[in-house]
Amino acid sequence: MSILMLSARIGAGGLADYTRDLAIALVEQGHRVMLHTVDGEGVRAIREELLNGGVQVELTDELTSASVDRAIRESEA
């Protein structure tokens, strides 16, 4: 299954850790996971772990309807 995770902003700490753990666990269960989020300190801190865990990461300057639409199209490919 393809799973698209959207987050307006991942702060450092709890949300970043939870997002990383959930996304990697879903990949380990055989799912294709893409995280689409605003570039920031929290996601930069976990990005390498996400990529190494098989999660696709797409960073944007701001979460807009256009960037979400693009992420949805890419997650369906």
Side-chain angles (χ1 to χ4, degrees), residues 5 15 28-30 34 39 41-42 45 47 50 58 60 72:
M5 298 176 73
L15 182 57
E28 289 172 350
Q29 293 178 12
M34 175 192 282
D39 192 6
E41 183 179 326
R47 185 169 189 234
L50 289 166
E58 180 169 334
T60 186
I72 291 170

Side-chain angles (χ1 to χ4, degrees), residues 26-54:
L26 289 167
V27 169
E28 289 172 350
Q29 293 178 12
H31 301 290
R32 180 175 166 249
V33 179
M34 175 192 282
L35 170 64
H36 181 75
T37 189
V38 174
D39 192 6
E41 183 179 326
V43 74
R44 277 187 242 125
I46 63 169
R47 185 169 189 234
E48 198 63 34
E49 291 176 273
L50 289 166
L51 294 172
N52 288 337

Side-chain angles (χ1 to χ4, degrees), residues 4 6 34 36 58 63-76:
L4 173 61
L6 299 171
M34 175 192 282
H36 181 75
E58 180 169 334
L63 207 57
T64 63
S65 60
S67 70
V68 170
D69 288 345
R70 185 181 70 250
I72 291 170
R73 283 192 306 276
E74 289 175 5
S75 71
E76 292 175 337

Side-chain angles (χ1 to χ4, degrees), residues 13-24:
L15 182 57
D17 293 343
Y18 176 78
T19 301
R20 178 200 59 225
D21 294 347
L22 177 60
I24 291 173

